[in-house]
Amino acid sequence: MKIDHLALLNEERAARRAAVLVTRLEDGAQRLVREGEVDADPVAEILRAHLRKGKSGIVEIDGAEHFLTVQVPPVRIVIIGAVHISQAFAPMAKLAGFDCTIIDPRTAFASPERFPDVTLLDEWPDDALPRIGLDAYTAFVALTHDPKIDDPALNAALTAQCFYIGALGSKKTHAKRVDRLREAGFEEAAIGRIHAPIGLDIGAVSPAEIAVSILGEIIATLRSDRRRR
């Protein structure tokens, strides 16, 4: 790998952007395709397929074998609300290989004793989210039931194009949430990306069961293109 390509890959990794290094095996010729350049690339469909999987591999392009070195940011999950569901969810997410951050300004809930070995921020989302950042490789979950806490965070998640956005609450609660988001200027297509009621419909009742349903829905959304194959 050329030094300049390595430097560019490191730069994209630091910025949490995907990239693909395309290497022609017969002569070692290389080119780097950044995430923002994929759609305009001559082999965009092939690149997109490998980015969705997050897997490197050998492909044939114009009759020649190429190796695609795929670099995709690790998926992370940001949860708003240090609640009982979050307590069950965090260790499950860790077992599934996801980094998890929980944000809640209510220090009575957001305590290390309730959330050992979890990144826990006892701050308002307005303060925490700009610092940690949200992006297309982030799953966002709102669980507080408090519009003062959830709504600004949902606004940030929708703006950042998080690949999954879910919010706890009944259909009635969500209808009121939708009205507030409309007033905030979000269009129906954007609001429609919110999974509410949150989680897969598995008849979940307990906090742990709800946590399972949410994690399952996140994974299903992340792997949706692969499941269609």
Side-chain angles (χ1 to χ4, degrees):
M1 184 185 301
K2 295 180 181 179
I3 295 298
D4 56 342
H5 286 152
L6 178 60
L8 288 171
L9 281 171
N10 288 336
E11 182 180 310
E12 297 304 291
R13 181 183 295 111
R16 284 184 57 81
R17 293 189 296 259
V20 182
L21 182 65
V22 183
T23 304
R24 191 165 57 208
L25 295 182
E26 64 182 8
D27 58 8
Q30 293 183 321
R31 64 188 182 90
L32 182 70
V33 184
R34 297 180 179 87
E35 183 174 14
E37 302 166 342
V38 169
D39 288 343
D41 195 88
V43 292
E45 186 174 347
I46 293 174
L47 298 180
R48 280 196 294 265
H50 277 260
L51 284 170
R52 284 195 297 267
K53 297 175 184 177
K55 299 291 185 181
S56 301
I58 296 175
V59 299
E60 184 174 309
I61 300 174
D62 295 331
E65 286 192 333
H66 291 68
F67 188 83
L68 304 184
T69 304
V70 177
Q71 176 178 283
V72 177
V75 172
R76 59 185 177 179
I77 303 173
V78 173
I79 299 175
I80 307 299
V83 297
H84 291 309
I85 296 172
S86 307
Q87 285 182 290
F89 183 94
M92 293 179 191
K94 185 176 182 180
L95 282 172
F98 299 114
D99 290 329
C100 189
T101 298
I102 298 174
I103 302 170
D104 196 324
R106 303 169 300 180
T107 54
F109 294 94
S111 67
E113 293 75 22
R114 297 183 71 233
F115 292 92
D117 303 319
V118 178
T119 300
L120 183 64
L121 304 177
D122 56 351
E123 306 173 50
W124 287 89
D126 315 57
D127 298 323
L129 292 178
R131 188 174 70 255
I132 67 175
L134 299 175
D135 54 38
Y137 298 93
T138 304
F140 174 89
V141 178
L143 299 178
T144 74
H145 266 307
D146 186 340
K148 296 192 303 296
I149 301 174
D150 284 348
D151 282 10
L154 280 166
N155 291 356
L158 288 168
T159 301
Q161 296 292 309
C162 293
F163 80 87
Y164 173 90
I165 302 174
L168 188 67
S170 65
K171 291 182 179 179
K172 184 178 179 180
T173 296
H174 186 59
K176 293 179 180 178
R177 180 187 293 129
V178 167
D179 288 340
R180 295 193 300 271
L181 288 170
R182 288 193 187 112
E183 290 177 5
F186 287 99
E187 297 181 356
E188 296 299 323
I191 297 172
R193 295 187 58 237
I194 300 174
H195 294 262
I198 196 171
L200 298 175
D201 185 5
I202 59 173
V205 176
S206 69
E209 290 175 348
I210 295 170
V212 169
S213 75
I214 295 170
L215 185 58
E217 191 169 57
I218 289 173
I219 294 171
T221 303
L222 177 65
R223 306 301 183 196
S224 58
D225 289 292
R226 185 180 297 184
R227 289 188 301 126
R228 294 193 193 103
R229 292 179 177 276

